[in-house]
Amino acid sequence: MIKREMYMRRIRPFIGSDLVKVMTGIRRAGKSVMLQLIQEELVASGVNPDTFISINFEDLRYAHLANAMALHEEILKRAEKIAGKVRLFFDEMQEVADWEKCVNSLRVALDCDIYITGSNAKLLSGELATYLGGRYVEFVIYPFSFGEFLELYRTVEPAASESQCFQKYLVAGGMPYLSNIRYEEEPSKQYLTDLFNSVQLKDIVKRNKVRDVDLLERIIAYVMANVGTTFSATSLVKFLKNERRATSTDTVLNYIKYCCDSYLFYQVKREDLQGKQILSTNEKYYIADHGIREAVFGGNMRSINLILENIVYLELVRRGYQVTVGKVGDKEIDFVCNQRGQKLYVQVAYLLADENTVQREFGVYDSIRDNFPKYVVTMDELDMSRNGIKHKNIREFLTAAEWT
């Protein structure tokens, strides 16, 4: 089990506090393992595991607790047998109706330390803002980074070079469970396809009562095919019309939002760097795990430039950056990244094959006059840095401790 220290560093300061710790992210990204890691850390610091109450709401044995009152009564009953602070671990909490009321009441009724996971962004919207406003901290858990994948893949293939590991990562992606099936091609593909179907059915169709599943599937296929490409809902409506599927921009936007709420896709807005404003049209979307795209849609190696972009985007948000797409006149910078006032610019390409490509990728920075770090990230092995703009091989970029 990988220790996932990047997340533990962020969670650690809140362990033991009265804030509710909420971990969200796509199904099977490793949220349950984070609960285990927190429990291990508590035990290592001298906490008695008898003070833990853990419930996974995907386990049918707890189906009778899937409403606020039943869960509340059960926890109070169990807590009576525990001396001192109670540690509560609730996995896939979105399965519990009105869970916010239960958690808020437990905070008042007990001396407790609460940890929650969920596979839906709506977990922290609406009602929760009312009940727990200002009393929770959220951590988004992503599939494995290349660094984490490298560590695990080498337990399966110890002799693999970093380059060979990256080739595998390009098609397998970062879903943690794949190490259990030793990253074998067919079982991995089947697992990722089943996972995708589960996200689509449980987290999108059922949760949002989607009636037109065929339309949803077409929209998902379109977004998957166009990861990292700017498009508008209007262009998607036109595409569907050509497919003889009439629909409205509102329906398209709603369906894409459902996908983003389930963490299947991430929306990245465009920012006009000269006018300093967020643009309201033509966003980009990235998929939570490029391995799912390969299993369900295929063609990762054919669309390698888009997949590299997807991988870099996830690494940026994994490290806590707020990311937009930068528009400078008629040029576009792939990623403009902000973290507590510090900026970072990143341009991603497959290879700097000729001087025209070099001019295009480095030239997007011509009108950016600040002194923040600017990167061009590609699969080239030779360093072609110039004019203060750093060129990095993607493996080196992804495994760097920091970017300066």
Side-chain angles (χ1 to χ4, degrees):
M1 190 163 67
I2 283 187
K3 293 296 181 189
R4 308 206 84 175
E5 184 57 27
M6 182 192 292
Y7 299 111
M8 287 306 299
R9 266 199 310 273
R10 291 178 199 154
I11 296 166
R12 207 168 273 126
F14 300 98
I15 291 177
S17 76
D18 63 350
L19 292 171
V20 178
K21 279 66 69 178
V22 184
M23 281 157 275
T24 54
I26 191 171
R27 215 170 257 278
R28 306 285 168 262
K31 300 183 295 296
S32 305
V33 170
M34 292 309 304
L35 292 184
Q36 279 178 258
L37 291 171
I38 291 163
Q39 289 177 11
E40 285 177 13
E41 189 131 328
L42 283 165
V43 170
S45 69
V47 172
N48 185 345
D50 292 342
T51 63
F52 300 168
I53 298 175
S54 293
I55 298 176
N56 183 340
F57 292 101
E58 288 204 313
D59 187 332
L60 278 174
R61 288 175 298 174
Y62 301 112
H64 64 291
L65 300 178
N67 69 75
M69 282 306 296
L71 179 60
H72 191 261
E73 286 171 20
E74 175 72 11
I75 297 302
L76 289 183
K77 193 165 70 180
R78 289 202 205 179
E80 284 175 3
K81 299 168 187 166
I82 296 171
K85 190 185 278 279
V86 180
R87 279 88 186 173
L88 303 174
F89 300 90
F90 299 128
D91 210 352
E92 297 296 354
M93 191 60 150
Q94 76 275 356
E95 304 298 332
V96 179
D98 296 327
W99 67 268
E100 309 93 333
K101 296 176 185 175
C102 171
V103 166
N104 198 43
S105 181
L106 290 172
R107 285 183 65 258
V108 175
L110 294 173
D111 176 13
C112 58
D113 184 14
I114 304 176
Y115 302 86
I116 289 170
T117 78
S119 303
N120 197 284
K122 283 185 181 170
L123 199 69
L124 294 176
S125 62
E127 292 271 295
L128 184 54
T130 308
Y131 286 103
L132 290 180
R135 292 189 287 270
Y136 69 86
V137 281
E138 182 191 11
F139 308 93
V140 181
I141 309 299
Y142 299 93
F144 283 161
S145 65
F146 175 58
E148 290 173 317
F149 174 89
L150 200 57
E151 188 182 330
L152 213 51
Y153 188 64
R154 280 188 168 153
T155 65
V156 177
E157 295 286 349
S161 68
E162 193 175 276
S163 176
Q164 287 168 327
C165 292
F166 189 69
Q167 289 296 325
K168 187 67 177 178
Y169 186 61
L170 283 171
V171 291
M175 278 300 176
Y177 186 80
L178 296 187
S179 65
N180 294 3
I181 45 182
R182 301 183 63 78
Y183 293 99
E184 288 182 26
E185 191 174 334
E186 281 310 310
S188 295
K189 189 173 179 180
Q190 184 179 342
Y191 171 77
L192 292 171
T193 303
D194 291 346
L195 168 59
F196 167 76
N197 291 335
S198 175
V199 170
Q200 185 173 277
L201 181 64
K202 290 184 182 176
D203 298 325
I204 303 174
V205 174
K206 282 188 176 175
R207 187 155 299 283
N208 300 288
K209 299 180 173 62
V210 172
R211 289 197 202 91
D212 196 338
V213 177
D214 174 70
L215 179 65
L216 173 71
E217 287 173 349
R218 286 167 188 261
I219 289 170
I220 289 174
Y222 183 91
V223 178
M224 271 196 191
N226 292 282
V227 290
T229 309
T230 48
F231 66 85
S232 65
T234 312
S235 62
L236 213 166
V237 168
K238 283 179 186 167
F239 168 78
L240 290 166
K241 192 175 179 184
N242 291 337
E243 299 254 302
R244 294 183 167 75
R245 282 305 321 252
T247 187
S248 68
T249 51
D250 282 351
T251 301
V252 165
L253 288 169
N254 282 336
Y255 279 18
I256 291 178
K257 185 178 186 304
Y258 299 157
C259 295
C260 292
D261 283 345
S262 70
Y263 296 100
L264 179 62
F265 299 130
Y266 291 92
Q267 183 194 68
V268 186
K269 293 193 175 293
R270 290 162 74 238
E271 177 184 6
D272 185 337
L273 297 179
Q274 290 162 327
K276 293 187 168 45
Q277 61 177 7
I278 297 293
L279 303 169
S280 58
T281 57
N282 290 25
E283 297 91 354
K284 283 188 178 185
Y285 292 88
Y286 294 97
I287 191 165
D289 179 68
H290 56 280
I292 292 176
R293 183 188 187 273
E294 174 67 24
V296 175
F297 184 77
N300 276 12
M301 299 312 286
R302 282 197 307 276
S303 310
I304 190 162
N305 55 326
L306 301 180
I307 299 307
L308 297 179
E309 216 177 286
N310 204 107
I311 289 168
V312 169
Y313 167 74
L314 280 172
E315 188 63 28
L316 292 165
V317 293
R318 205 180 268 117
R319 297 196 190 196
Y321 283 93
Q322 301 290 318
V323 180
T324 57
V325 175
K327 182 179 177 295
V328 194
D330 60 350
K331 292 178 180 173
E332 197 173 83
I333 296 171
D334 289 332
F335 303 121
V336 180
C337 319
N338 267 292
Q339 191 177 60
R340 294 185 292 279
Q342 294 302 304
K343 260 189 174 179
L344 179 74
Y345 300 95
V346 184
Q347 187 72 3
V348 184
Y350 172 38
L351 291 169
L352 299 174
D354 53 40
E355 192 54 34
N356 285 342
T357 313
V358 172
Q359 290 296 342
R360 186 182 70 236
E361 300 302 336
F362 283 83
V364 297
Y365 293 126
D366 286 350
S367 55
I368 307 290
R369 299 288 177 218
D370 62 35
N371 293 316
F372 291 114
K374 298 169 185 69
Y375 283 91
V376 173
V377 175
T378 73
M379 297 231 351
D380 295 282
E381 300 290 340
L382 289 174
D383 185 346
M384 299 188 219
S385 302
R386 57 177 67 188
N387 307 328
I389 299 162
K390 297 170 188 177
H391 172 233
K392 290 280 182 197
N393 174 274
I394 189 164
R395 302 191 308 275
E396 188 185 346
F397 182 81
L398 295 172
T399 54
E402 57 182 328
W403 303 308
T404 54

